[in-house]
Amino acid sequence: MKGRNLVEDDRKLTVRAVERALDILLCFTQGSDLSLTEISSAIGLHKSTVHRLLTTLEDKGFLSRDAGTEKYRLGIRVWELSTHLPVSENPGTLLLPAMERLRDRLGETVSLYLRDGLERVRIQAVQSNQAIRRVAQIGARLPLTVGASSKVLAAYAPAEVQQELLESEDWPSSVDRQRYAEQLKEVLRSGYATSFEEREPGAAAVAVPVFGRSGELAAALSLSGPVSRLSIETLADYAAELREAAVEMGFMVP
């Protein structure tokens, strides 16, 4: 019996180490260069424990360390893994050419988002070629409470997800819950959502749903740029073009 308990304890320790290592890797969704102190603070572990895990991840090529700054960044192994993602299951890869055509036609930054819990993740972006533009970072995580893409993803999410979102303790005080709920209903009626300086000053966006061939929501397609070029009226005009593009894209997604 004692031997069995030791084996079970070893398994628990192994699983815990894996979870901690994955938590470290997930820290890099928020930044590209992180110090030992920053990582330790982010995951709530002592520096000595984090340092041992960082050393292992560095040895395996999942992280690299800048000898000058002593900061860590993602290593080559992460890129190697990403190249083996099934193309048929990666909307960001499948829809990139169509996104580039949309950018060339409308002249603004085009992004693609997926919902992950109560957040949205930008999985693909095509930057505007204009001098003044909105730069969209791939991999960025944003809350579902503000922004055109957030409203699209929330509007077409299951009812239980919407309820969890609207009852969230992290709800921003600047956003009226009832007004937001009404906006979700309007998204379902009109088929698109807009935002005008909701998340950041000087930025505007319009977003539409992309449905796969199965009929389920595959992603949110958005166009964003400076308010100097994107008035409320312009966003409404662009919504029609985004909807047409989204229909075409839907045939590319399983």
Side-chain angles (χ1 to χ4, degrees):
M1 181 65 70
K2 185 176 181 180
R4 179 183 297 178
N5 290 337
L6 289 174
V7 171
E8 290 179 352
D9 288 343
D10 287 342
R11 288 175 178 171
K12 290 179 180 178
L13 288 173
T14 301
V15 171
R16 190 175 299 119
V18 172
E19 289 177 342
R20 289 172 172 177
L22 291 174
D23 285 340
I24 288 176
L25 291 176
L26 288 172
C27 287
F28 291 89
T29 62
Q30 306 299 321
S32 57
D33 293 87
L34 301 173
S35 67
L36 170 61
T37 300
E38 290 170 328
I39 296 171
S40 175
S41 175
I43 65 175
L45 289 177
H46 195 275
K47 287 184 180 180
S48 61
T49 301
V50 174
H51 185 265
R52 290 195 298 271
L53 293 167
L54 287 170
T55 300
T56 300
L57 289 169
E58 185 181 1
D59 289 343
K60 293 294 185 179
F62 287 95
L63 293 177
S64 63
R65 180 171 55 88
D66 187 304
T69 64
E70 291 296 316
K71 289 197 171 186
Y72 294 84
R73 62 185 59 175
L74 293 176
I76 193 68
R77 289 294 184 188
V78 175
W79 178 83
E80 289 177 336
L81 286 175
S82 70
T83 62
H84 294 286
L85 280 171
V87 174
S88 61
E89 299 177 9
N90 186 353
T93 300
L94 287 172
L95 303 183
L96 180 58
M99 293 173 64
E100 291 175 337
R101 291 193 296 271
L102 191 62
R103 182 273 314 274
D104 294 342
R105 189 164 69 251
L106 300 181
E108 303 294 350
T109 296
V110 177
S111 300
L112 197 68
Y113 292 91
L114 296 182
R115 181 179 66 82
D116 183 17
L118 300 184
E119 295 181 312
R120 57 178 163 123
V121 183
R122 186 183 291 117
I123 63 167
Q124 188 60 274
V126 180
Q127 311 294 347
S128 168
N129 292 324
Q130 303 201 50
I132 299 177
R133 59 187 176 182
R134 185 170 181 273
V135 177
Q137 179 184 0
I138 296 174
R141 283 181 170 268
L142 302 166
L144 282 185
T145 49
V146 291
S149 295
S150 289
K151 285 179 275 191
V152 166
L153 293 172
Y156 291 93
E160 59 269 22
V161 173
Q162 291 186 10
Q163 182 177 356
E164 182 183 1
L165 174 63
L166 290 167
E167 296 176 355
S168 172
E169 295 181 355
D170 296 327
W171 190 271
S173 58
S174 59
V175 180
D176 183 83
R177 294 179 196 252
Q178 184 59 40
R179 171 59 181 154
Y180 183 87
E182 290 298 322
Q183 288 178 328
L184 298 189
K185 295 178 182 178
E186 178 57 31
V187 171
L188 294 177
R189 285 192 293 267
S190 65
Y192 71 93
T194 61
S195 64
F196 199 77
E197 296 190 298
E198 286 186 4
R199 194 176 64 82
E200 56 185 280
V206 57
V208 300
V210 178
F211 298 101
R213 292 195 297 271
S214 63
E216 295 184 354
L217 182 70
L221 175 70
S222 80
L223 178 142
S224 59
V227 295
S228 59
R229 292 197 301 265
L230 297 178
S231 64
I232 294 295
E233 293 75 20
T234 303
L235 293 176
D237 290 340
Y238 282 171
E241 297 210 40
L242 259 68
R243 284 200 300 264
E244 290 182 9
V247 171
E248 296 178 5
M249 292 179 181
F251 289 107
M252 307 176 195
V253 182

